[in-house]
Amino acid sequence: MQIDLHSHSTASDGRLAPAELVRRAAQSGVDVLALTDHDGVAGLDEARQAAVEQDIRFINGIELSVSWNKRTIHIVGLNFDLDYAPLCAGIQSLQDFRKVRARNIADKLEQAGIKGAYEGAQSFSGGTMLGRMHFAQFLAAEGYAKNVSKVFKKYLVNNKPGHVNGEWASLNDAVSWITGSGGVAVIAHPARYKLTRTKLRQLIKDFVAAGGQAIEVVSGSHCINEVKTMACHADDFDLYASSGSDFHDPDFPWIKLGQLPDLPEKCKPVWDLFL
Ligand code: AMP
Ligand code: MN
Ligand code: MN
Ligand code: MN
């Protein structure tokens, strides 16, 4: 069975509409898909409907932005109930912060001589969420760098002209919004944060203390050694293991929907909790 529990649509910074994403997943042989847009659930109804038509299993998902020890960490939520009031309020607060941050990013870019970035970024967004990817797409289209990755490096990361510090949700709040709505909280792409082993284990401890149950062992952004390392951490902390591509865009050919390696033998699959 092909399972992909991390993907993005135009409801955040992905390039495909939710229904298109589901059709592409079905064509790629995915049997179980979670849509996990950043800080929003606006794409879930459309995706669920399309999954019925495509006869694949759909899991509600979200990827929450969290500030932990002055770093930004992503927590994926899976299989939660959309009507849980604290989750809805939490999403609203993150979306409000995104609007303020987008204005701040545009102001900083303007100070660096780049005009019209707010409207430019908006023209690349599906309208429900504004993120750095939309600024990157605008800046790349305007020729400020060769591609989106280079734009990030030049403009949108720490110490660069368009960087704004994130004040996102706390780890405790984000995990409790997910678990409180009946879902499973998952540490997203743990190898991407470039934490030392000690700091990563501290993050996992804090996450477990908050009620988190799973970690992405297989991720589109993990190499084979990182998969092995994360499987060991999952084992040590008795966490369930998740698997997700983090697909954003068909034009990023290095990340494909669903085509992920199997979880290592010793892992407890997170989908045992809901399939
Ligand atoms: P945001 O949550 O708005 O700060 O944007 C984070 C998103 O930007 C990530 O989910 C990726 O989609 C994208 N991103 C972050 N860093 C990079 C990078 N170096 N190259 C390409 N995309 C990136
Ligand atoms: Mn993204
Ligand atoms: Mn992420
Ligand atoms: Mn993601």
Side-chain angles (χ1 to χ4, degrees), residues 6-8 13 36 38 63 74 76 188-189 192 246-248:
H6 190 150
S7 68
H8 295 274
D13 58 3
T36 55
H38 298 283
E63 182 173 17
H74 287 169
V76 160
H189 43 61
R192 277 254 296 276
D246 206 2
F247 176 89
H248 280 75

Side-chain angles (χ1 to χ4, degrees), residues 63-189:
E63 182 173 17
L64 292 169
S65 306
V66 163
S67 295
W68 176 81
N69 287 355
K70 302 201 170 106
R71 295 163 188 276
T72 299
I73 300 292
H74 287 169
I75 299 295
V76 160
L78 296 174
N79 200 45
F80 50 84
D81 178 356
L82 292 181
D83 298 329
Y84 182 58
L87 173 67
C88 300
I91 289 170
Q92 191 57 52
S93 68
L94 288 168
Q95 295 287 349
D96 290 346
F97 174 66
R98 278 189 175 277
K99 286 193 191 111
V100 173
R101 185 188 68 152
R103 286 281 175 208
N104 291 341
I105 291 174
D107 289 346
K108 290 194 77 175
L109 288 172
E110 178 132 11
Q111 283 160 27
I114 299 169
K115 289 199 167 58
Y118 190 87
E119 292 71 24
Q122 257 183 332
S123 74
F124 285 93
S125 132
T128 49
M129 175 269 196
L130 210 44
R132 280 187 295 162
M133 183 74 93
H134 305 117
F135 282 94
Q137 285 165 340
F138 163 72
L139 292 168
E142 294 290 305
Y144 287 101
K146 264 204 178 130
N147 56 45
V148 161
S149 288
K150 294 207 164 102
V151 171
F152 265 94
K153 283 200 189 104
K154 213 168 146 189
Y155 291 99
L156 299 174
V157 297
N158 216 353
N159 299 320
K160 298 296 172 182
H163 182 260
V164 173
N165 274 328
E167 253 321 311
W168 304 107
S170 73
L171 182 62
N172 277 313
D173 283 350
V175 171
S176 75
W177 299 336
I178 296 163
T179 56
S181 53
V184 185
V186 186
I187 299 176
H189 43 61

